[in-house]
């Protein structure tokens, strides 16, 4: 796993696990790798992975079955999508719109391009 220096590693691990859930790598109630297994797999300290698992547990994405490990929550996809959509709208979209304004781009170009694609299908 390649890490970005602009974001804490434990959050990047959370993002990676969430991406795995969204992509279908892990379904609802599927067991995810143990803290030690995942730490060895991606080459980080187990404490860092534990911090990620604790955050995802607190967010309702995964849950712990004592003695059995961590599992994907039934509502994990819904929770992840809601959070990622919120982040996109509140964080990424304003940056995109600001950049478009600086470049003199009109956001309506996306609507016209989308309509062209829909008409071709």
């Amino acid at each position: 796993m390649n890490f970005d220096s602009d974001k804490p590693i434990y959050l990047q691990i959370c993002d990676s696990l969430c991406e795995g859930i969204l992509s279908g790598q892990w379904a609802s109630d599927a067991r995810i790798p143990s803290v030690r297994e995942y730490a060895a797999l991606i080459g980080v300290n187990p404490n860092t992975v534990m911090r990620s698992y604790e955050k995802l547990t607190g967010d309702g994405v995964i849950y712990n079955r004592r003695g059995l490990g961590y599992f994907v929550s039934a509502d994990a996809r819904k929770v992840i999508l809601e959070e990622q959509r919120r982040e996109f709208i509140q964080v990424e979209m304003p940056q995109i719109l600001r950049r478009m304004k600086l470049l003199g781009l009109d956001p309506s170009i996306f609507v016209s391009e989308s309509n062209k694609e829909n008409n071709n299908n």
Side-chain angles (χ1 to χ4, degrees), residues 77-94:
R77 284 186 56 82
K78 179 182 171 193
V79 169
I80 295 166
L81 286 172
E82 285 175 0
E83 175 58 24
Q84 288 190 0
R85 287 173 180 158
R86 183 202 59 75
E87 184 175 334
F88 178 76
I89 290 168
Q90 292 180 353
V91 178
E92 295 177 42
M93 197 62 181

Side-chain angles (χ1 to χ4, degrees), residues 1-4 6-23 25-26 38 42 52-53 55-56 59 61 80 83-84 87 92:
M1 188 169 175
N2 294 325
F3 296 106
D4 179 4
D6 293 336
K7 188 173 189 178
I9 291 174
Y10 84 97
L11 291 177
Q12 293 177 64
I13 293 169
C14 289
D15 291 345
S16 178
L17 289 165
C18 287
E19 187 176 306
I21 292 167
L22 289 178
S23 72
Q25 182 178 358
W26 296 297
Y38 203 63
I42 62 174
S52 302
Y53 281 27
K55 180 185 181 329
L56 292 173
D59 292 346
V61 174
I80 295 166
E83 175 58 24
Q84 288 190 0
E87 184 175 334
E92 295 177 42

Side-chain angles (χ1 to χ4, degrees), residues 86-103:
R86 183 202 59 75
E87 184 175 334
F88 178 76
I89 290 168
Q90 292 180 353
V91 178
E92 295 177 42
M93 197 62 181
Q95 293 172 353
I96 291 168
L97 292 172
R98 192 171 28 259
R99 180 89 168 131
M100 288 178 71
K101 185 177 178 180
L102 288 172
L103 296 173

Side-chain angles (χ1 to χ4, degrees), residues 61-72:
V61 174
I62 62 174
Y63 63 94
N64 185 8
R65 284 190 187 160
R66 195 170 180 171
L68 297 176
Y70 286 90
F71 295 80
V72 177

Side-chain angles (χ1 to χ4, degrees), residues 20-35:
I21 292 167
L22 289 178
S23 72
Q25 182 178 358
W26 296 297
S28 294
D29 293 317
R31 183 182 175 279
I32 62 172
S34 72
V35 170

